[in-house]
Amino acid sequence: MRVYFDHNATTPVAPPVAELMTRVLTDEFGNASSIHRFGQRAKAVLDDARTAVADLIKADPSEVVFTSGGTEADNFALRGVAEALDSGATGRRHLIASSIEHEAVLNTLKALARRGWTTTLLPVDATGIVAPAALEAALTDKTALVSVMHANNEIGTIQPIAELAALAHARGVLFHTDAVQSVAKIAVDTRALGVDLLSLSAHKFNGPKGAGALWIKRGTRIAAILTGGKHERNRRAGTENVPAIAGLGAAATLAGGKLASDAARLSALRDRLEREILARVPQTAVNGAPDRRVPNTTNISFEGVEAESLLIALDLEGIAVSTGSACSSGTLEPSHVLRAMGLSTHRTQNSIRLSLGAGNTDAEIDYLLEKLPRVVEKLRALTRTAQVR
Ligand code: PLP
């Protein structure tokens, strides 16, 4: 049996998405900027996808800019706002983000810091939530932009974005949210969140890799970071990847149609999985806010077990899990998210993430529950033997 519990890293492409992409790849090869019929047909594909994405996040299609994924959307938001303000005389050269952001935000912030921007990373509490008071204390008259992710990729915790955005706006500061891990998992409404910029990525919700979008509220000052032709209303140059964007649109439509039912089904599966692991495996604990999480994610510490060893042992049983963000997997770096929550070093190294998706079933949860206790016991016994020697 092969079981995939790593949907926050990426998801399989849904069959209707793959079908549409294949058709577009072969039939709609025109350049969407061309005036002739071939070009106009490709443009119509882009228009449909733009509407589908806008519908999913309750936005206007004209505010959706296609990107090569979540990383580019995050870069565009931060670098684009920074550059737009750089050339003005506002004197705002301060950026704020949470300390548990994805590397796409954290490393972009570092790059801007090297170019003279001051940056502040907001702390989170023991459950991974940013306190509004912490943002209020960090905002200054020099702040240009705040970036706080909607849902965290490692622990699934959902931030109080509407409250945080209102605090930023009260000081005349723009607000970006990386919603890569919340879009298609929970209802995401750009107006209700009250943000100015929002990132999303197709491969996190059964669409293709290399396709995403930045939603830019009308009137927001932002510079293009990819310069060239007049694509995407002058906001992102480059001939559009029409098949991938069609896939993004199809995945958005698919997700929108089953958002509530998927969320209910996945949270029931996740809750059972979590409950049973805690009951069957001693010395385990859940990381993150149990009542403020996306429905598919759990992050669990196993006392006395190296997360990497557990990941490999489960992989040998045909079960795919993760030690956290896909980028930090493969290194022994403890998770910056769990560290920011104040967990002890050994607990940050004992934690694995299980993230469910549309295809997971009760039978797969049963399979994991059958294998996991023995795998953990074996690894603990090995550690005890090593310690005795
Ligand atoms: N932001 C978050 C929260 C993510 O989880 C990821 C992907 O792991 C990204 C951004 C990057 O998205 P992409 O893989 O589309 O570049």
Side-chain angles (χ1 to χ4, degrees), residues 100-149:
I100 63 166
E101 294 301 306
H102 188 269
E103 285 82 355
V105 166
L106 290 178
N107 287 335
T108 304
L109 223 58
K110 280 187 194 157
L112 288 166
R114 287 193 291 274
R115 284 176 28 200
W117 285 75
T118 54
T119 60
T120 303
L121 291 185
L122 301 174
V124 294
D125 67 16
T127 65
I129 303 277
V130 174
L135 174 59
E136 215 167 1
L139 285 163
T140 75
D141 294 342
K142 299 269 177 268
T143 312
L145 176 75
V146 176
S147 180
V148 176
M149 69 203 317

Side-chain angles (χ1 to χ4, degrees), residues 4-14 17 180-181 183-185 201-209 251 266 296 353 355-360:
Y4 188 74
F5 291 132
D6 198 14
H7 292 82
N8 286 8
T10 196
T11 57
V13 174
V17 173
V180 166
Q181 293 289 350
V183 165
K185 293 191 178 108
S201 174
H203 76 99
K204 306 294 184 179
F205 54 98
N206 305 109
K209 290 157 191 63
L266 288 179
N296 77 319
R353 174 186 76 189
S355 48
L356 310 188
N360 287 137

Side-chain angles (χ1 to χ4, degrees), residues 68-105:
S68 65
T71 300
E72 186 190 320
D74 287 345
N75 269 265
F76 185 7
L78 272 61
R79 292 177 194 269
V81 165
E83 187 164 329
L85 290 180
D86 246 352
S87 52
T90 62
R92 290 185 183 261
R93 286 186 67 83
H94 175 224
L95 303 164
I96 299 176
S98 87
S99 47
I100 63 166
E101 294 301 306
H102 188 269
E103 285 82 355
V105 166

